[in-house]
Amino acid sequence: MNTLDSYKVDLKNMRSDRSEYQYCLDKAFFEAINDVLIRDGNVSVNLLVQKVAGSYEFMFRMEGMVRIPCDRCLDEMELPVERVSCVKVKMGDEYADDGDMIVVPYEDGVLNVAHLMYEIIALEIPIKHVHAPGDCNVVMMRVLKEHEAADETGTVEENTSVGASRHGADDSGKSVDPRWDELKKILDNN
């Protein structure tokens, strides 16, 4: 049996207009999803499914934490998750997901909410996720510091553009790293 099979909600055979499900999303869940962003976690999910006027409302209440890689040092970091999300589902001829409504085929009548829960959690992760100052891997931070680009004054450049560095100069007067010239030779050979 697939690990994610336990996250199926049978809409056809709901005994009442309201059903409640409890899930604990742990390492086994995130490994079964097999995505590189979230590696591990411990998230409690309370799912309330209500039948409302020919459709269903899935109300997810999530609380816990997930482990994701730090963008700066690549070590794992913990990120708290607290989210309430509502998803509308209805029965139809074929599966569809237009963002506002999920349509589940009449013949199946079952919706696996595993990937839906994962997506809700993944949307909570900020674009840039880094450790608090001073919590990053010391060895990795030392290596990053050694490879930072600096201008003639020794000031670290935040955004080094392709072709701008501290050695030569390009047409606009910006300095050019000679390594870019070597890379340009490769392009010229093709």
Side-chain angles (χ1 to χ4, degrees):
M1 181 174 130
N2 185 346
T3 306
L4 300 179
D5 286 343
S6 60
Y7 299 98
K8 290 182 178 178
V9 175
D10 189 351
L11 300 174
K12 270 202 236 178
N13 297 318
M14 275 183 62
R15 293 192 178 111
S16 67
D17 289 346
R18 180 183 169 114
S19 294
E20 198 165 342
Y21 302 88
Q22 301 288 327
Y23 301 109
C24 182
L25 310 182
D26 56 8
K27 186 174 184 105
F29 171 82
F30 292 109
E31 285 177 350
I33 291 290
N34 195 26
D35 190 79
V36 295
L37 181 61
I38 303 174
R39 299 176 177 175
D40 191 3
N42 186 8
V43 180
S44 297
V45 180
N46 179 17
L47 170 60
L48 176 63
V49 180
Q50 286 186 273
K51 197 173 195 177
V52 180
S55 65
Y56 301 88
E57 284 186 354
F58 282 55
M59 182 67 69
F60 295 92
R61 293 186 189 283
M62 302 179 173
E63 188 173 341
M65 69 81 194
V66 292
R67 288 187 187 87
I68 57 176
C70 173
D71 285 342
R72 187 178 298 133
C73 72
L74 303 178
D75 279 359
E76 281 192 356
M77 61 178 282
E78 290 185 356
L79 183 72
V81 173
E82 191 170 333
R83 173 81 177 180
V84 175
S85 185
C86 184
V87 177
K88 296 193 183 290
V89 177
K90 71 177 183 179
M91 304 288 272
D93 293 330
E94 60 184 46
Y95 180 83
D97 183 357
D98 66 2
D100 294 330
M101 176 83 69
I102 296 175
V103 179
V104 175
Y106 288 115
E107 59 194 41
D108 293 339
V110 175
L111 178 64
N112 190 327
V113 295
H115 288 282
L116 193 56
M117 291 187 295
Y118 179 84
E119 288 173 10
I120 292 169
I121 293 170
L123 288 173
E124 285 295 296
I125 297 173
I127 291 174
K128 184 176 182 181
H129 38 90
V130 295
H131 284 108
D135 288 348
C136 276
N137 180 316
V138 177
V139 175
M140 180 63 82
M141 294 310 296
R142 194 174 313 125
V143 170
L144 286 173
K145 193 75 169 163
E146 290 172 7
H147 291 88
E148 284 182 330
D151 62 14
E152 291 82 17
T153 64
T155 315
V156 174
E157 296 176 3
E158 285 294 319
N159 294 318
T160 305
S161 61
V162 178
S165 180
R166 58 183 164 191
H167 295 305
D170 64 7
D171 296 336
S172 64
K174 291 183 181 176
S175 56
V176 176
D177 187 335
R179 293 176 289 183
W180 291 115
D181 293 332
E182 294 299 317
L183 289 172
K184 287 178 186 175
K185 289 178 187 174
I186 294 171
L187 289 174
D188 293 338
N189 288 335
N190 291 331

